[in-house]
């Protein structure tokens, strides 16, 4: 019989990830450990839980049944954990914070450090992830997210609005000084693209420079910032990232435009846990105090 939650956790992780490597990353173990545990479980049950296919693993009927059981047990564990944590009124204990790496790198880490000085009894963990870490599954306690549509099932505080702007390296601006001095120009202006916005130069650039082209396509904002700094072209980025960088300047002739807000979020059942409540308020206040940087007005 399958009577250990650890066994079910491996089944659920493999089913969700669709393969051993993804499950291993989720569980924080290596590939061979997942393979060994699944094989041992199948041997003890006398049935296959997953079909080994070239494109990955597919759950058998028995595997699907095991996965559904695992989901039910996981849900009960998470609900119990949330209820117990919600009763915690102490300013000590674990606090897991997740945000994109860029947010930690450009200010949040310093906020966490100041909070830690005030509350040394709180055990802080910072989880840098561009993917959405689930607060419902208690993968983190607090999330700092860049979004205009925070999950309605979560409780949160709006930390600050944001604006974005076009930037380029100082050398790039000097090289195109004549073109940038005009409202329109046929010059072939290189742009750094962000793949989530599309590979073509932004509309505002194309309207002013019809022959603008994409020199490089980037898959995250840290890379886009580095490529713009290196002189690969005009890059559009949040003002808090471009304005403080002495290697970059705003491209003449453009104005800041609205970007996504920054929210501080948690599970609604945890909003009264003192260490979570304090951290959310402390972090939101820190962002608001620096709102001019995020809006590009300072």
């Amino acid at each position: 019989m399958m009577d250990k939650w650890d066994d079910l956790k491996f089944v659920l992780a493999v089913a969700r990830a669709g393969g051993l490597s993804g499950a291993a990353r989720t569980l924080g173990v290596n590939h061979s450990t997942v393979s060994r545990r699944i094989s041992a479980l199948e041997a003890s049950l006398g049935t296959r839980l997953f079909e080994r296919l070239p494109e990955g693993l597919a759950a058998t009927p028995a595997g699907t049944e095991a996965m559904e059981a695992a989901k039910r047990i996981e849900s009960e564990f998470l609900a119990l954990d949330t209820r117990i944590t919600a009763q915690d009124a102490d300013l000590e204990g674990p606090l897991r914070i997740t945000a994109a790496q860029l947010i930690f790198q450009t200010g949040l880490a310093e906020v966490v450090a100041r909070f830690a000085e005030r509350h040394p009894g709180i055990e802080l963990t910072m989880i840098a992830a561009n993917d959405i870490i689930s607060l419902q599954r208690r993968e983190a306690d607090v999330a700092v997210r860049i979004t205009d549509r925070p999950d309605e099932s979560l409780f949160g505080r709006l930390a600050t609005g944001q604006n974005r702007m076009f930037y380029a390296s100082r050398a790039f601006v000097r090289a195109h000084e004549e073109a940038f001095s005009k409202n329109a120009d046929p010059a072939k202006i290189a742009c750094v693209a962000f793949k989530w916005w599309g590979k073509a130069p932004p509309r505002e650039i194309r309207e002013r420079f019809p022959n603008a082209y994409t020199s490089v396509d980037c898959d995250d904002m840290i890379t886009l910032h580095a490529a713009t700094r290196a002189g690969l072209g005009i890059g559009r980025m949040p003002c808090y990232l471009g304005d403080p960088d002495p290697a970059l300047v705003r491209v003449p002739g453009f104005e800041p435009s609205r970007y996504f807000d920054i929210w501080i979020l948690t599970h609604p059942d945890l909003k009264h846990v003192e260490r979570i409540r304090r951290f959310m308020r402390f972090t939101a206040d820190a962002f608001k105090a620096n709102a001019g940087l995020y809006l590009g007005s300072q």
Side-chain angles (χ1 to χ4, degrees):
M1 292 294 292
M2 187 164 31
D3 57 358
K4 294 182 179 179
W5 169 233
D6 278 350
D7 294 331
L8 287 171
K9 282 197 294 187
F10 278 85
V11 172
L12 187 55
V14 171
R16 282 174 171 162
L20 300 176
S21 297
R25 287 192 295 271
T26 299
L27 296 169
V29 298
N30 58 46
H31 179 283
S32 61
T33 297
V34 179
S35 179
R36 186 173 63 253
R37 290 292 294 268
I38 293 295
S39 295
L41 180 56
E42 290 176 327
S44 69
L45 293 171
T47 187
R48 278 193 174 275
L49 300 177
F50 297 96
E51 295 292 349
R52 277 68 171 172
L53 304 174
E55 60 271 20
L57 300 184
T60 64
T64 299
E65 188 173 347
M67 179 182 64
E68 293 303 320
K71 286 181 179 178
R72 290 192 295 271
I73 294 173
E74 180 190 53
S75 179
E76 289 296 323
F77 269 117
L78 293 175
L80 175 63
D81 184 51
T82 300
R83 289 195 299 270
I84 291 173
T85 303
Q87 299 173 32
D88 191 346
D90 293 334
L91 272 173
E92 58 184 26
L95 178 58
R96 296 162 299 170
I97 305 138
T98 184
Q101 180 182 339
L102 180 62
I103 294 297
F104 279 122
Q105 186 174 313
T106 56
L108 182 57
E110 286 79 5
V111 173
V112 173
R114 294 199 301 272
F115 183 80
E117 289 178 1
R118 295 189 180 196
H119 305 289
I122 298 178
E123 304 157 18
L124 293 162
T125 300
M126 297 193 296
I127 306 167
N130 289 324
D131 296 328
I132 298 297
I133 297 295
S134 175
L135 299 181
Q136 285 89 349
R137 292 206 299 268
R138 297 300 312 282
E139 294 171 355
D141 300 307
V142 176
V144 179
R145 290 183 180 157
I146 299 175
T147 179
D148 279 346
R149 299 179 64 186
D151 189 331
E152 293 181 356
S153 69
L154 300 176
F155 170 80
R157 292 171 175 265
L158 173 62
T160 182
Q162 291 195 92
N163 283 326
R164 63 186 180 181
M165 180 59 187
F166 292 107
Y167 296 89
S169 70
R170 294 181 181 277
F172 188 92
V173 170
R174 285 196 299 271
H176 297 86
E177 186 174 3
E178 183 177 350
F180 287 155
S181 67
K182 303 172 184 176
N183 292 327
D185 195 279
K188 292 185 176 181
I189 301 293
C191 294
V192 179
F194 190 44
K195 78 173 186 178
W196 306 115
W197 298 340
K199 293 188 177 182
R203 174 183 53 80
E204 299 94 326
I205 295 290
R206 298 197 307 271
E207 288 176 352
R208 186 172 167 191
F209 304 108
N211 293 320
Y213 67 97
T214 296
S215 62
V216 64
D217 186 26
C218 302
D219 69 348
D220 74 6
M221 193 59 66
I222 295 175
T223 306
L224 184 146
H225 175 247
T228 306
R229 257 180 140 259
L232 283 167
I234 296 173
R236 184 169 62 185
M237 66 190 75
C239 292
Y240 79 85
L241 187 59
D243 283 344
D245 190 339
L248 298 178
V249 294
R250 293 185 175 191
V251 177
F254 293 97
E255 295 296 326
S257 60
R258 189 180 180 281
Y259 191 47
F260 301 116
D261 296 331
I262 297 179
W263 284 80
I264 319 296
L265 303 166
T266 191
H267 191 290
D269 291 346
L270 302 181
K271 64 183 180 181
H272 295 305
V273 175
E274 189 62 16
R275 61 182 178 275
I276 292 175
R277 188 183 69 83
R278 290 271 188 110
F279 178 79
M280 292 182 69
R281 185 174 63 187
F282 184 88
T283 304
D285 288 348
F287 275 104
K288 287 175 181 176
N290 218 13
L293 173 64
Y294 293 92
L295 294 170
S297 59
Q298 73 177 33

